Amino acid sequence: MSELSANLVALATACGVATEYWDWRGEYVDVPESTVVAVLLALGVDAPTPTAAGAELARLDAERWHRMLPPCLVRRADDTRASTFWVHVSHGDPALVHVELEDGTRREVWQLDRWVDPNELDGALIGEATFELPTDLPLGWHTVHATSNDRQAEAVLVVVPARVEFPAELRQRQTWGWLTQLYQVRSRTSWGFGDLSDLAELISWSGSELGAGFVLVNPVHTAAPAPPIEPSPYLPMTRRFVNPLYLSIESIPECAQLSAADRARVAALATPLQARGGPEDLIDRDVVWAAKKEALELLHAAGRSPARQSAFGAYLAREGVGLLDFATWCALVEVHGPEWMTWPEPLRNPATPAVADERERLANRVEFHAWLQWLIDEQLADVAASAAAAGMPLGVIHDLAVGVHPGGADSWALQDVLAIGASVGAPPDAFTQHGQDWSQPPWKPRQLAERGYAPYRDMIRQALRHGAGLRVDHVMGLFRLWWVPDGCTPSEGTYVRYDHEALVGILALEAHRAGAVVIGEDLGTVEPWVREYLDDRGMLGTSILWFERDANGPLRPDQWRELCLGTVTTHDLPPTRGYLTGEHVALRNRLGLLRNPVEHEWAALHTELAGWRALLDELGIDRGGEVGDAGSMEATVLALHRFLASTPCLLLGLTLADAVGDRRTHNQPGTYREYPNWQYPLLDADGVPVLLEDIKSSESVARLAALFRDARADTHA
C-alpha cells in the first residue's frame, strides 16, 4: 500500500478523517488512500492528488479567515475556565461583540489583549481579535452578535449542563422495565400491529401490577407513506417525526363522530387484521398501512370541531417549517415514489419554486400528513399520562436510530448537512465479522455546525417531548462514525470525527430541559475513554450479559457498571432461549456471515456457557441443570435474570421476548432482505403467537417480573 502524502494526511486530519486506527483485535490499521480520498469527497473536499489536497487545505484555511465568527460555540455552564473565541475583521478595524440570551436580554463581551498576526487574503489584511465569554451565562440557546464598521455577523451559542442528573430517588434503588418492539405488542383490538393504545395498556398494567418502572420501545420514527414500507425501525425516513402505523384508530376523537356507514367501513378494515395469525405469518406493514390509511382519510375528511382545529393550528405553528417540509415530502412520495433522487429534477430540493407549486397543488395531502403527526403527538401524550397514572418512576424511554434512509424525508430536506457518497456502518468485530453498512447518510460535521446544530437539536427535542428518557443507538457516533464510501465493503471504511463536546452537550441540555435520562448504546468497538466521558456527563451505558466478560470468562456482578442499563440480551441477538441453543451461530452460518469456521463458533459458545455454569454455581444461583440444556431451559433463563438482578446496574431491562419464551432472532445484523428482520410476531415457548392479553395472563411473564421486583426489594430494603 502506498504511503499517504503529507498534504493528504494534513487535510484528512483537518476534516476529522482517520488515516489510521486500531481494530477490535487491537491491531493497527493503515487506511488506504482510496478510502481517505472517497470519504473526503463525500465531505465536499475534492483531493485526488497531493497537489489538490494542498489546494483544499489552503481553501479551508481561507474560508476560516473570511468568516467573521465561528459557526457555533458550545460552552459548559459549570466551566470556570476562560472560554474564548475569535472575531475576524479588516486589520485595524474595531470589533464590538455582545450575547443576546434566549430570553431577549443582552450581555456584553469584552476583547482580550492578545496579539495574532494578521493574514493576507485577496490582497487585504484580515485581523483576528480574541473575545472571552462571561462565565455565568445561563443554560440555553443564545446568539453572539459581532459588528465592525459596516460588517455584521452572528453565531449560535449553546450553554449546556455539565451532566444529565439521574433522578436522585432512582439512584437509591434499581428500577426494572420492559424492552419491547412495539409493533409486536398486538392486542385483540389492534390492527395486526402494536399501537400506542397497546403501549398505554402495557404501561398501565405493568406499572400498577408488576412494579415496572419504564418501558423502552424500538425507534418509532416514521417510514415512507407508500409501499413498500421499510420494516426496520432503525432505517427511518426521518428521525424527527413518528410512524402513523402506531396510531390507534379508535382512540382518535373524531372516530366517534363518523357516520354509521363510515364507522362500519372502519370496522370492516380492522376485522381482517385483528386475527392472531400463525407463527410464520410475518407482520405485514404494507397491508396494515393500506387499511389504516383508508380509515384515516375518512376521519380527515370528516373534519374537526373548532376547538380541535384550533389545537391543530397551534401544533402546526409550533412545528414550523420542519413539519411543512416533512408533510410535503410525504405528499410528493404519493405521486412520485419513495426515493426523491428519482423525482423530476426540479422537485429534488425543497427550496425550489417547483416544490412550492406542488405544495400548493397538493395542499390537502400536505395537511393530511401534518394532521397525522398531530394525532400521534396527542396519543404519545396519553401514553406518558398512563405512565404517570401507573406510578412508573420513569415511563416511556424512546430509542433514537443512528441515521436515516438515503432516499427519505431527512435526506431530502437536509441535503446540506447529510453526506452523499458514503453511508454509516461499523467495522468488523467479533459478532459481525464482515462489518456492517447501514446505508444511512452521515452528518457532515462542518455543515452541521454551520447550521448551529439546529437539525440535531430539533430531532432530540422531538424525541424527548413525551418521553422520560432516550436510548441513543450507537452512541459512539456522537464521537466518531464509521463511514463506508459508496461502492466499498464495510471493511473498507474509516472513522470520521465529530465535535463530541457539542453533540453530547446539546443532548445533555435537551434532556435536562425535558427531565429525561439518557442511555447510550455503547456496544461494539468503543474507544476506552468514551465510556468514561459519558459516565462523567451523567449518561448511562448499556451492559449486555453475554458481552460482559474478559479473558477469564464472565464478569462477576460486582464488576458490572452501576450507571448503565443492564439486560441479558438485546434485539441484535436471539432471545435468551435462542442464544442458549446457539440460534445465533446456526443462523449466521446459514446466511454466510461467519469468517471463522462454524466449528470454531460452536466451540466458543460451549466454552462461554461452561463459564456461566461455573459462575452461577460459584454464586449459588440455582440453574436447574446444565446451562443450555433444553430440559432446564426455564430454570436457566430465570437463573441468568437472577444474576442480572444481582448486579449494581441502576436500570434493569427485561425483554418481552424473554418473558413470553420466544426463541427466534428478530434482527440479524449484517443482513437486509436475506432475513425477515423486524417482521416476526412475538411467540411463546410453544411457538404460538402472543397477544397483549396473553402477556397479561402469562405465568412466565409474572415469574420473571416478580424475580426483578423481589430482587430489588431484597437488595434495597
Side-chain angles (χ1 to χ4, degrees):
M1 181 176 63
S2 61
E3 185 175 336
L4 303 185
S5 70
N7 278 349
L8 186 59
V9 171
L11 179 62
T13 302
C15 295
V17 179
T19 58
E20 57 188 21
Y21 64 91
W22 298 90
D23 71 9
W24 66 281
R25 297 185 183 92
E27 297 178 357
Y28 177 83
V29 178
D30 280 312
V31 180
E33 179 179 341
S34 59
T35 294
V36 175
V37 169
V39 169
L40 284 170
L41 186 60
L43 284 164
V45 179
D46 191 7
T49 66
T51 300
E56 287 289 75
L57 265 174
R59 178 181 67 83
L60 292 176
D61 185 61
E63 283 183 0
R64 175 184 176 275
W65 279 93
H66 276 303
R67 294 191 63 95
M68 192 174 185
L69 285 170
C72 185
L73 301 169
V74 178
R75 173 181 173 80
R76 293 199 207 183
D78 70 326
D79 194 346
T80 58
R81 298 169 299 175
S83 182
T84 62
F85 60 97
W86 47 259
V87 178
H88 290 149
V89 296
S90 295
H91 183 51
D93 284 357
L96 298 175
V97 180
H98 71 274
V99 174
E100 182 183 359
L101 302 181
E102 64 180 357
D103 66 2
T105 58
R106 174 175 171 140
R107 297 288 300 276
E108 298 299 328
V109 182
W110 304 108
Q111 185 174 351
L112 298 180
D113 186 11
R114 178 180 297 171
W115 174 259
V116 177
D117 289 334
N119 192 18
E120 184 175 349
L121 289 178
D122 302 325
L125 287 179
I126 304 296
E128 181 172 294
T130 303
F131 284 77
E132 182 177 352
L133 288 170
T135 58
D136 60 344
L137 292 173
L139 297 176
W141 292 84
H142 314 306
T143 306
V144 177
H145 295 271
T147 303
S148 176
N149 291 341
D150 60 349
R151 191 180 178 195
Q152 297 182 359
E154 61 183 47
V156 172
L157 166 63
V158 196
V159 180
V160 304
R163 54 187 290 113
V164 181
E165 294 298 340
F166 196 75
E169 63 274 16
L170 295 183
R171 292 195 72 111
Q172 307 306 314
R173 58 190 178 98
Q174 286 179 317
T175 301
W176 80 272
W178 296 116
L179 277 58
T180 183
Q181 304 299 313
L182 179 53
Y183 59 86
Q184 292 184 324
V185 186
R186 304 177 300 163
S187 66
R188 291 191 175 93
T189 58
S190 57
W191 295 33
F193 193 89
D195 60 35
L196 292 173
S197 286
D198 296 325
L199 177 58
E201 179 61 24
L202 175 67
I203 285 171
S204 296
W205 165 71
S206 59
S208 59
E209 297 191 23
L210 302 182
F214 63 89
V215 174
L216 193 160
V217 298
N218 58 274
V220 293
H221 315 313
T222 198
I229 295 175
E230 169 58 49
S232 173
Y234 292 93
L235 188 57
M237 297 298 161
T238 174
R239 291 186 285 177
R240 179 169 173 180
F241 298 104
V242 178
N243 196 334
L245 272 170
Y246 293 110
L247 278 171
S248 169
I249 302 297
E250 291 81 1
S251 300
I252 298 170
E254 284 73 22
C255 205
Q257 309 304 318
L258 290 176
S259 67
D262 284 346
R263 284 200 301 274
R265 179 56 186 160
V266 170
L269 289 167
T271 300
L273 300 173
Q274 292 170 334
R276 181 187 299 263
E280 299 303 322
D281 290 334
L282 300 179
I283 292 173
D284 192 330
R285 289 164 172 81
D286 290 347
V287 170
V288 174
W289 177 237
K292 284 197 170 185
K293 182 180 178 183
E294 183 177 338
L296 289 163
E297 286 170 340
L298 286 173
L299 287 164
H300 182 250
R304 294 164 291 282
S305 69
R308 294 275 293 162
Q309 182 61 35
S310 177
F312 178 39
Y315 173 78
L316 293 175
R318 189 189 77 227
E319 294 300 324
V321 69
L323 176 62
L324 182 62
D325 280 345
F326 169 69
T328 300
W329 175 84
C330 289
L332 290 171
V333 163
E334 293 178 327
V335 177
H336 299 287
E339 299 205 5
W340 61 268
M341 297 89 75
T342 66
W343 295 353
E345 184 71 35
L347 300 180
R348 295 180 190 176
N349 188 305
T352 64
V355 168
D357 291 343
E358 283 291 274
R359 180 182 290 129
E360 184 175 348
R361 185 177 72 84
L362 300 171
N364 183 263
R365 299 308 296 172
V366 172
E367 184 194 75
F368 172 72
H369 290 288
W371 173 75
L372 295 181
Q373 293 302 313
W374 173 58
L375 296 179
I376 293 168
D377 188 71
E378 289 190 320
Q379 292 193 4
L380 284 170
D382 291 341
V383 169
S386 296
M392 278 192 169
L394 281 174
V396 181
I397 300 176
H398 287 288
D399 199 347
L400 182 70
V402 71
V404 295
H405 193 286
D410 278 1
S411 69
W412 179 68
L414 302 174
Q415 294 175 49
D416 57 328
V417 294
L418 290 173
I420 305 299
S423 61
V424 177
D429 60 27
F431 192 70
T432 51
Q433 296 168 10
H434 294 282
Q436 299 178 63
D437 181 346
W438 301 325
S439 71
Q440 300 165 329
W443 295 118
K444 292 192 283 190
R446 289 178 62 242
Q447 285 75 9
L448 189 58
E450 294 279 355
R451 291 279 296 270
Y453 294 96
Y456 173 75
R457 174 203 62 198
D458 293 345
M459 175 188 72
I460 297 294
R461 190 173 286 175
Q462 190 74 14
L464 289 171
R465 178 166 160 76
H466 297 299
L470 188 64
R471 174 191 179 272
V472 181
D473 191 44
H474 194 71
V475 73
M476 299 84 76
L478 303 182
F479 300 80
R480 65 178 186 176
L481 272 174
W482 184 256
W483 284 37
V484 182
D486 287 354
C488 294
T489 65
S491 62
E492 295 173 315
T494 190
Y495 288 107
V496 174
R497 287 274 175 200
Y498 289 80
D499 184 347
H500 63 272
E501 275 288 319
L503 294 176
V504 174
I506 290 168
L507 175 59
L509 173 61
E510 296 304 322
H512 168 80
R513 289 186 156 182
V517 301
V518 176
I519 302 166
E521 189 264 300
D522 53 352
L523 306 174
T525 305
V526 188
E527 296 173 285
W529 66 274
V530 166
R531 288 194 175 103
E532 182 178 342
Y533 178 91
L534 291 171
D535 184 84
D536 186 57
R537 301 301 297 267
M539 298 181 184
L540 278 65
T542 301
S543 290
I544 308 300
L545 179 140
W546 302 119
F547 299 158
E548 291 297 305
R549 56 187 304 109
D550 58 20
N552 299 316
L555 298 182
R556 299 175 57 86
D558 58 7
Q559 294 176 288
W560 283 47
R561 293 179 287 175
E562 178 185 15
L563 283 177
C564 76
L565 166 67
T567 69
V568 173
T569 189
T570 178
H571 59 252
D572 288 335
L573 294 173
T576 301
R577 290 165 181 80
Y579 194 93
L580 291 169
T581 55
E583 164 70 12
H584 55 302
V585 176
L587 178 58
R588 287 184 295 150
N589 180 53
R590 189 164 70 248
L591 296 172
L593 298 176
L594 297 177
R595 279 188 175 177
N596 299 321
V598 66
E599 295 80 10
H600 175 89
E601 297 294 327
W602 282 116
L605 177 62
H606 293 153
T607 299
E608 179 183 2
L609 297 183
W612 278 106
R613 285 197 295 270
L615 182 56
L616 292 174
D617 288 345
E618 179 187 340
L619 297 173
I621 297 176
D622 180 17
R623 53 186 171 84
E626 294 298 305
V627 173
D629 174 53
S632 62
M633 188 65 72
E634 189 68 21
T636 300
V637 172
L638 284 169
L640 293 171
H641 284 87
R642 189 171 288 114
F643 172 92
L644 178 67
S646 71
T647 69
C649 303
L650 284 177
L651 298 183
L652 300 176
L654 172 58
T655 70
L656 270 182
D658 272 351
V660 302
D662 208 347
R663 296 170 181 260
R664 293 188 299 190
T665 298
H666 296 151
N667 175 60
Q668 176 54 57
T671 64
Y672 186 48
R673 296 295 184 244
E674 307 93 325
Y675 185 77
N677 295 315
W678 315 109
Q679 297 173 73
Y680 279 131
L682 201 61
L683 305 182
D684 65 16
D686 297 320
V688 176
V690 177
L691 299 181
L692 179 56
E693 292 82 358
D694 305 317
I695 293 171
K696 294 168 67 174
S697 62
S698 166
E699 292 184 6
S700 172
V701 171
R703 197 158 39 240
L704 269 177
L707 184 155
F708 274 21
R709 183 179 61 237
D710 295 346
R712 187 185 71 185
D714 292 344
T715 305
H716 301 279

